[in-house]
Amino acid sequence: MKKKIIGSIVAIVIVLVLGLIIYNQIIPDEYVPAADEIVLHIQLDVEEDVGLLVYDYCADSREYSGGISNADRSLIKHDSDNIIMWNKEELNKLSDAFDLLVRFRIITEYVDPNYENVYPDDITKYMEPISWKANFGESYFITITGDKTNGYKAVLN
């Protein structure tokens, strides 16, 4: 009787492990953009959790602004991977390749996000802008390092 129970448990574990392996092969860990999308993976590698991550960007001379915050008003983890996705329609149907400039700001404390993306100067830390020739259908990886005392830096990897 005990051998049947142990055999059943082993069989269940094997099925679960195989299922997990198959799932990981079918479903990739990384979001793959469609042909009309561009994806930015923003990896935070900073000393402390932050309130908001705000970005101002210019795509073929058109200016936009956006941001990332947690819906539960918690801080964004200091080592989190954050994804931004834009499509051609959101960027006014640009050609497949375009000039992209992004300037990130870290808001060091949580404040309620606003549509104007205007926040108090004493908790706003600007980074130097980064720019590159972007292509739809591609993913780009950006790492943000630093701390609120010494400032932050964004680098396109």
Side-chain angles (χ1 to χ4, degrees), residues 7 18 22 39-42 49 51 60 62 70 79 83 86 93 97-98 100 106 109 127 130 134 145 147:
L18 288 174
I22 292 169
V39 173
L40 303 183
H41 291 266
I42 314 301
D49 296 345
D60 272 349
R62 292 187 184 106
N70 286 330
D79 59 353
I83 297 175
W86 299 307
K93 299 182 180 21
F98 59 96
L100 181 62
I106 285 188
E109 300 172 15
M127 287 167 248
I130 54 177
T145 58
D147 60 58

Side-chain angles (χ1 to χ4, degrees), residues 13-33:
V13 170
I14 290 172
V15 168
L16 290 174
V17 169
L18 288 174
L20 183 60
I21 291 170
I22 292 169
Y23 174 82
N24 283 333
Q25 294 297 318
I26 295 171
I27 309 293
D29 291 339
E30 180 182 307
Y31 180 80
V32 177

Side-chain angles (χ1 to χ4, degrees), residues 124-144:
T124 302
K125 304 294 182 186
Y126 288 88
M127 287 167 248
E128 290 296 319
I130 54 177
S131 61
W132 70 97
K133 190 72 151 179
N135 293 289
F136 283 104
E138 297 290 330
S139 293
Y140 298 94
F141 296 84
I142 297 169
T143 302
I144 296 177

Side-chain angles (χ1 to χ4, degrees), residues 12 17 26 36 55 64 74 84 91-92 98 134 137 142 150 153:
I12 290 171
V17 169
I26 295 171
D36 69 336
Y55 44 89
Y64 305 91
S74 64
I84 302 168
L91 297 176
N92 293 313
F98 59 96
I142 297 169
N150 299 305
K153 183 176 181 177

Side-chain angles (χ1 to χ4, degrees), residues 76-91:
I76 300 169
K77 297 295 180 194
H78 66 278
D79 59 353
S80 62
D81 182 29
N82 303 275
I83 297 175
I84 302 168
M85 189 279 300
W86 299 307
N87 63 35
K88 280 187 175 184
E89 185 175 336
E90 291 170 321
L91 297 176

